[in-house]
Amino acid sequence: MENASGLQRQLARMKKDLFDQGYLDEQFDQLEELQDESSPNFVEEVVTLFFRDSSRLMANIDDALQQCPRDFHRLDNFLHRLKGSASSIGAAKMKNECTSFREFCSEGNLDGCLRSFQKVKNDHTILRQKLENYLQLLRQVGPVDKASRSGS
Amino acid sequence: MSVGSSYASSKLESDRVPDKFPVGMKILLVDDDPICLAVVQRMLLNCQYDVTTCSEATRALSLLRENKGAFDLIISDVHMPDMDGFRLLELVGLEMDLPVIMMSGDTRFNVVMKGVSHGACDFLTKPVRMEELQNIWQHVVRRKWLDSKEIERSGSVEEADRGRQVTDDSEYASTVNDGIDCSWKYQRKKRDAKEEDDNELDNIDPSSSKKPRVVWSVELHQQFVNAVNQLGIDKAVPKRILELMNVPGLTRENVASHLQKFRLYLKRLSGVAQHHTGLNSPLYGASSNAKVGQLGRFDFQALAVSGQISPETLAALQDELLGHPPCNLAMPTIDQQVLQQASVQRNNSVTFERGIAFGQPLLKGQAVSSFPVWPANDLGALGSASNLGGLNTSQNSNMLMTMLQQPQPQTVPSESNHAINVQRSCLVAPAKSSNKFQVQGNPMHINQDSTIISSQSSANFQPGNAVVPVIQDSAVVTSNSSTSLKTGNNLFVTNHRSTILPSQSLTGISLGTDSGLLNQGSIIVPSQPLNSSQAGSNSILSSQNSMLVPSHLSGSLRTDKNIIPITHNSSLNNSSSLVNYNRLPTQSNVMPSSMKQVLDNLAAVDSFSVPVSMNSQVLSSTGSSTSWQLHSPDISISHPNGTHSLVPSSCNIEATDRLLVKLPDKGLGKNLGFVGKGTCLPSRFAVDDIESPTNDLTNSSAYTGDDGYLQNQDIFGISGTLQSGHCATTSFK
């Protein structure tokens, strides 16, 4: 079925791009491994959950950055959570940027924090968009062999 | 599958297929991060385990308490908002005796070490991968197996008692990593106890384990602790404990296994502080204000102090000591009432005893029956055996030592004549802004296998008169801006195999009159702005196999007359002298004004001949790295047998901000002059090393900073901030 295999190739390519560009890492593969008959929409569910939860966290971080005086400790707690979530789904860029953010935090470097946070937000937005596309394609392709799906 | 389910009930027991273990193994998964929770849950389900998820530790705890036997294994995150994962870990271990696996994205050494010391059977790094979860069933099996082994072993009353005594003691003495090394533990059991057959292995299905699970409720544990206290921790055998407890339905085996865990817990307490960088110095001072400052949450529970010496006041403990994440170490807190009501015959003492109150953050106003007090040494038998029976309330109290991250200063002013007794394996950690922990009157201080950590603004550890603070096998760590370790009159601060680390703004170790700072096998490392170690008249600063390392700003170790700074096999870095001796008597009334005199006098005392010629100024501070140098090019001390000689020509001791104390062996003669055997810095060496004076210091290895840890948790409760450089490598032979 040309269409299906074309879609699959497209899917594989998309995923490879995401990996190559550093947005995702091997943890994402683990998510896909977990999707099977008993949990056919696992990846989509987790990704959705992630963006929902991380948006909330980032709003909190935003608030914390605006407060005066800045509570870096509280900020660090949020970041720790955000980083944990990001790493759980394989959101590599976000995870790494969170690490930098935390360093600035521990130094009390507000400027660094703000810059870093901006990057985190950007990564977040881009990743969201890309994963939405990916998942959409994934739904179209439908339940496929894991072997053929894993393209990267 | 619902990804974000917060509480999915597990299958019924009957649905499980027993002979297909580990299929259906019941796991409780606790994590506040819903994504991680979902992912790990999915992974566990794919491993065919039964998974119950919980996003709150408190909820998880109540689940566990309500459904005894509902779970085989717990997997918990470290950082959780409502309760620290380590705390949960501890409680589970004590109350339910279930294996707990910790998870965290933070895999720094000290974090993982903390997991170990709190009893975790494994530590997973986030993000967790599937393959890591596949074999976690082994932890369940291992625990069941060991438990049933213990039951079997304890079946024979007398022999098992003996056996266990030996086993427990030897485990106690030599366990390095608190009992998490199950296989090692098992091997010891096998060796010490009767040889068991291999039947247990056939029965690997935990559901068909014959051992009835006893849940150690708070009350039950209190009874247990009381019984142990009554008997004395060393003499507490399960049979006697069981008799004292007098709980129907409780079996000796239950008590035995609980006792073992208890001991491990206590041991861990003494070692917890090692990982923390915070340093507090309990200072002994001859202050007249008995004021006990307490910080954070800890209740000092008055314990009867029976024996000679009782621990002195404890300065505030530093939360920082707990490092990140918040330490789950329970801290005893002194209840004001307790202290005020403490009026024991002669001494009022508040004793910290090892113990934990399970499930209750703080137990206030409860007196714990005393442990036998170990006479620190013969020197300081000043206090009398004081039984703090009159201390408040009943004898049913556990010392819950909970040291949480956020310090909330609670000052507990104590009347005079309050003594703080820190028993073994206690961690007394007054939090930050505690002012003072001053005990007056006839306080005694015993601190065995425990850690006294006074936090930053801790002022003083000042025993009043006739106080004998004894610190054995423990670490007394006072934090910054701690004032001093002052001993008032008639005081003996005996520091057996322990470390007193007054931190930076430590004023000084000043001994009042007739006081002695006997520092056996220990290290006193006053950090930077240490003023001086001043010994008043008739005071003896004797350090056997120990190291007294004042930092660079230290003024001097001034010895007035009748003062002998005697350092046996130790390095005494101060401006006045650096002496190393072998086996000098600890007490002598030599009055040296110069080192030479000291040595002469000492030589006369023992058969140890010490020809020494030494410049007086042996210690000078240099540089910004707070190092000091010992210049004593002419020193040579030789043992009559000629086996030991010390030629400290120059020795650099550096104490950085993090209390890195390096002892370069430059200029040392054949023998290690500066660091005595088994002393040196709290580096990685086991208890045995310290106890044996002939131990080679090469066992010690250097460590520093966050990555340091003390292998011998019984001895030093110092965080990894002491670096033993050359010290570690020089051999003292």
Side-chain angles (χ1 to χ4, degrees), chain B residues 54-331:
Chain B
C54 230
S55 51
E56 291 168 13
T58 44
R59 179 86 186 104
L61 207 54
S62 43
L63 267 180
L64 288 164
R65 286 173 176 156
E66 290 160 21
N67 308 304
K68 306 149 195 178
F71 301 104
D72 298 314
L73 175 73
I74 292 131
I75 302 180
S76 172
D77 187 29
V78 166
H79 293 90
M80 289 186 289
D82 61 332
M83 184 192 292
D84 186 30
F86 291 125
R87 173 116 180 82
L88 176 67
L89 161 61
E90 224 162 41
L91 292 173
V92 169
L94 290 164
E95 290 185 39
M96 293 118 204
D97 186 24
L98 289 175
V100 181
I101 296 177
M102 302 303 292
M103 286 190 297
S104 182
D106 185 356
T107 50
R108 282 174 299 170
F109 180 90
N110 52 342
V111 176
V112 179
M113 188 62 190
K114 198 164 169 186
V116 172
S117 69
H118 283 76
C121 56
D122 206 349
F123 199 104
L124 300 176
T125 313
K126 287 188 184 180
V128 179
R129 289 189 321 277
M130 180 84 163
E131 47 265 30
E132 296 175 47
L133 295 174
Q134 266 158 354
N135 292 329
I136 57 175
W137 56 264
Q138 60 175 292
H139 303 292
V140 175
V141 171
R142 190 179 289 122
R143 192 164 289 224
K144 294 273 179 186
W145 191 15
L146 290 173
D147 281 347
S148 54
K149 278 275 179 200
E150 195 174 300
I151 292 175
E152 294 251 358
R153 202 161 51 85
S154 63
S156 157
V157 173
E158 278 173 333
E159 280 163 284
D161 263 354
R162 264 202 311 269
R164 189 170 305 103
Q165 200 71 4
V166 170
T167 305
D168 284 345
D169 286 346
S170 53
E171 280 181 17
Y172 186 82
S174 57
T175 296
V176 166
N177 296 313
D178 298 295
I180 298 309
D181 188 355
C182 293
S183 52
W184 173 86
K185 214 166 60 164
Y186 171 64
Q187 282 162 25
R188 287 201 68 90
K189 285 187 187 181
K190 242 187 134 89
R191 214 186 321 141
D192 295 335
K194 284 194 294 190
E195 206 58 30
E196 303 290 347
D197 54 27
D198 295 326
N199 289 348
E200 288 77 12
L201 258 183
D202 297 339
N203 176 24
I204 61 171
D205 182 1
S207 68
S208 61
S209 165
K210 296 187 185 67
K211 171 183 160 197
R213 173 143 289 170
V214 170
V215 173
W216 284 86
S217 66
V218 175
E219 299 78 24
L220 198 60
H221 180 73
Q222 280 182 19
Q223 285 178 280
F224 169 81
V225 172
N226 295 334
V228 171
N229 291 345
Q230 255 180 280
L231 293 168
I233 189 65
D234 286 328
K235 293 196 181 63
V237 291
K239 185 164 167 234
R240 298 289 312 282
I241 297 173
L242 187 66
E243 286 167 10
L244 282 172
M245 284 178 70
N246 195 22
V247 171
L250 192 66
T251 68
R252 205 175 152 285
E253 294 77 24
N254 301 136
V255 174
S257 67
H258 194 72
L259 177 65
Q260 189 176 37
K261 282 194 293 286
F262 187 60
R263 286 187 172 167
L264 289 171
Y265 175 83
L266 293 172
K267 263 175 66 180
R268 176 177 64 242
L269 289 182
S270 63
V272 166
Q274 296 175 12
H275 318 304
H276 304 296
T277 55
L279 297 172
N280 295 312
S281 46
L283 301 173
Y284 296 90
S287 131
S288 55
N289 298 330
K291 198 170 135 196
V292 175
Q294 284 182 346
L295 300 183
R297 307 93 150 121
F298 68 87
D299 294 322
F300 291 94
Q301 302 199 353
L303 298 179
V305 179
S306 61
Q308 296 180 349
I309 311 160
S310 63
E312 283 291 345
T313 57
L314 296 175
L317 293 178
Q318 190 180 23
D319 283 334
E320 202 183 290
L321 259 184
L322 304 178
H324 305 281
C327 178
N328 271 335
L329 192 65
M331 297 286 315

Side-chain angles (χ1 to χ4, degrees), chain B residues 363-633:
Chain B
L363 296 180
K364 296 195 178 188
Q366 288 173 322
V368 183
S369 53
S370 65
F371 278 141
V373 166
W374 302 265
N377 56 56
D378 295 334
L379 285 182
L382 293 184
S384 64
S386 60
N387 267 320
L388 206 59
L391 258 189
N392 214 6
T393 73
S394 61
Q395 303 266 331
N396 306 324
S397 62
N398 290 330
M399 187 70 67
L400 178 68
M401 308 191 270
T402 316
M403 185 148 63
L404 302 177
Q405 189 83 32
Q406 293 78 20
Q408 287 173 8
Q410 301 169 9
T411 47
V412 178
S414 68
E415 316 292 346
S416 58
N417 296 333
H418 280 265
I420 305 298
N421 209 347
V422 177
Q423 297 284 359
R424 269 194 194 175
S425 306
C426 277
L427 179 67
V428 182
K432 274 187 187 163
S433 39
S434 89
N435 288 336
K436 294 181 178 185
F437 205 140
Q438 301 172 9
V439 174
Q440 213 198 0
N442 301 311
M444 299 219 261
H445 174 89
I446 298 181
N447 191 7
Q448 286 196 347
D449 299 335
S450 52
T451 305
I452 304 177
I453 306 169
S454 25
S455 81
Q456 285 181 343
S457 27
S458 88
N460 276 306
F461 200 135
Q462 301 175 348
N465 294 332
V467 170
V468 184
V470 176
I471 306 177
Q472 288 187 347
D473 297 335
S474 55
V476 179
V477 179
T478 56
S479 76
N480 300 332
S481 55
S482 70
T483 307
S484 65
L485 186 71
K486 291 189 210 159
T487 61
N489 298 332
N490 302 320
L491 290 174
F492 273 100
V493 178
T494 311
N495 197 8
H496 286 247
R497 301 195 298 267
S498 50
T499 305
I500 299 182
L501 284 182
S503 82
Q504 292 183 340
S505 1
L506 172 67
T507 304
I509 296 179
S510 48
L511 311 173
T513 56
D514 296 327
S515 56
L517 175 65
L518 180 65
N519 199 12
Q520 292 184 343
S522 52
I523 296 175
I524 300 183
V525 183
S527 82
Q528 287 169 350
L530 170 67
N531 288 342
S532 65
S533 296
Q534 304 173 358
S537 52
N538 297 323
S539 61
I540 296 173
L541 177 65
S542 165
S543 304
Q544 288 184 344
N545 296 331
S546 54
M547 182 165 71
L548 180 65
V549 182
S551 78
H552 78 303
L553 295 179
S554 87
S556 63
L557 178 72
R558 274 191 300 151
T559 63
D560 299 336
K561 45 185 177 178
N562 299 328
I563 295 169
I564 304 177
I566 300 175
T567 60
H568 295 246
N569 307 329
S570 58
S571 66
L572 185 64
N573 304 316
N574 50 59
S575 57
S576 53
S577 63
L578 170 71
V579 182
N580 275 289
Y581 303 99
N582 287 330
R583 265 164 284 152
L584 278 173
T586 59
Q587 244 178 353
S588 49
N589 275 327
V590 182
M591 298 189 247
S593 55
S594 74
M595 227 28 237
K596 187 164 190 303
Q597 271 189 343
V598 177
L599 297 173
D600 286 344
N601 284 322
L602 288 167
V605 175
D606 202 356
S607 61
F608 186 95
S609 78
V610 193
V612 174
S613 66
M614 188 167 127
N615 294 337
S616 56
Q617 201 72 22
V618 301
L619 179 62
S620 64
S621 56
T622 65
S624 58
S625 68
T626 70
S627 63
W628 59 88
Q629 278 187 331
L630 301 162
H631 303 287
S632 51

Side-chain angles (χ1 to χ4, degrees), chain A residues 27 30-31 33-36 38-39 42 45-46 49-50 53-54 56 73 80-81 83-85 87-89 95, chain B residues 1-4 32-36 38-39 42-43 46 79 104-106 126-131 324 405-406:
Chain A
Q27 184 66 15
Q30 294 262 323
L31 291 192
E33 299 272 321
L34 291 171
Q35 181 158 308
D36 54 21
S38 57
S39 58
F42 181 70
E45 284 168 8
V46 176
L49 185 64
F50 169 71
D53 187 61
S54 57
R56 187 181 52 83
H73 182 73
H80 182 90
R81 269 280 268 109
K83 182 180 168 188
S85 303
S87 69
S88 289
I89 68 157
K95 178 185 77 169
Chain B
M1 185 202 83
S2 66
V3 166
D32 64 320
D33 179 348
I35 292 96
C36 178
V39 174
R42 187 71 238 155
M43 288 178 175
N46 275 21
H79 293 90
S104 182
D106 185 356
K126 287 188 184 180
V128 179
R129 289 189 321 277
M130 180 84 163
E131 47 265 30
H324 305 281
Q405 189 83 32
Q406 293 78 20

